[in-house]
Amino acid sequence: MGNAAAAVFGEDTRRDVPQSYAHMAGQIGMIYEPDTQTLCSAFCVAPNVVATASHCLFQPRKGRLPNLFDMSFRLEYRDLSLSSGIAGRMAGTPKHSVAVGTTRFGKEPPLSAPKDWALAKLERPICKFGTMNVSPRATDELIEASRERRIFQLSYHWDYTHWKLAYSDRCKIRRSFKGIEWRYIRQHFSGADDLLLHDCDTGGASSGSPILMDTTDGPVVVGLNVGTYTRTRLLLSQGDVVRRQKPDIIANTAVNVRAFAPVIGPLATRTMISTEREVIDLQKELQARNLYTGPIDGIFGRGTRSAIRAYESLRGETMTGLPTRLLLTTLITEGAGAAIEHQNVREWAVKPFD
């Protein structure tokens, strides 16, 4: 997987956004963090929530993680330029206001692309020019739509006109690419059912951009672009690599929006806990239910997020992993007696989501 160089399939079809889609330029911006020079596309899914790729927020660059305290979402539309940081940064808790599919990004299978999504709540509701219609669809429907030339992409790119939104014309979505059958491809990915393979022309800074489908009611977002799926050929001699051939680009990858669409509402409307004491209380309540086995340290990390998802799953709720005040209040109100009820699910519930 990678997303620095342009992945252009055949002729480069990128061009300026057609007039019929011009209004959508006010709904797509850029996520930027100056220390690591992180720059990705992102798009408005609620007045105060944007969607992007998780690796744009949580993947190290040159040995450093992007700093969520300095990360901002920028919108430039017509003569206006708007910017907002992530909610909670002034309280020291921006991570509390981010929902993710994964924060682990390995280069060896199983690859994380189908979980490489993130939703970030903003300090200010700057999505004033409308929000994109996120519309979960079955992969077979998207494949058929691409045959009908109804799939396209809007994105920013390092190698396109300086910070001008680009339109990638009529892309294909397929299960199999380059003669490799889906039954083999899916083995390389974790959560492959939410993976979309496509050939929209992508480049650096296009991670986090929307894959769109034309409908009778207008364009809807069906996928979130995350990277390029490549195959590296190695020549071995007695088990040692003697030559690496040029990687073969198989397809570009996106996340089906059904992976995160249900999380948008809870993130947009609920209040997050904001103090170390509250996180400690949350960890203790989850520990009492045998859902959390990490340290009681007041730090909202991967283990706490996974334990929240496990609790939400047990209650039949949308698995958000969000440390909301409503969640903490519910746990405290339930009381310690709930710990016995959850003991029999410990084996699977404590396994990290990602």
Side-chain angles (χ1 to χ4, degrees), residues 229-248:
Y229 174 39
T230 63
R231 176 176 54 184
T232 302
R233 299 181 185 274
L234 306 177
L235 295 182
L236 304 177
S237 176
Q238 297 181 343
D240 296 324
V241 177
V242 295
R243 191 171 69 192
R244 294 177 181 268
Q245 295 181 337
K246 184 178 179 180
D248 182 21

Side-chain angles (χ1 to χ4, degrees), residues 27 93 267:
Q27 300 163 13
T93 57
L267 179 59

Side-chain angles (χ1 to χ4, degrees), residues 31 44 46-50 72-73 84-88 97 120-127:
I31 286 277
C44 296
N48 61 342
V49 176
V50 296
S72 61
F73 172 66
S84 174
I86 297 175
S97 295
K121 190 172 187 176
L122 304 175
E123 286 182 302
R124 299 184 297 118
I126 65 169
C127 292

Side-chain angles (χ1 to χ4, degrees), residues 70-84:
D70 293 332
M71 190 160 280
S72 61
F73 172 66
R74 301 181 180 184
L75 265 182
E76 295 190 8
Y77 185 54
R78 295 174 180 164
D79 296 327
L80 290 177
S81 180
L82 301 173
S83 178
S84 174

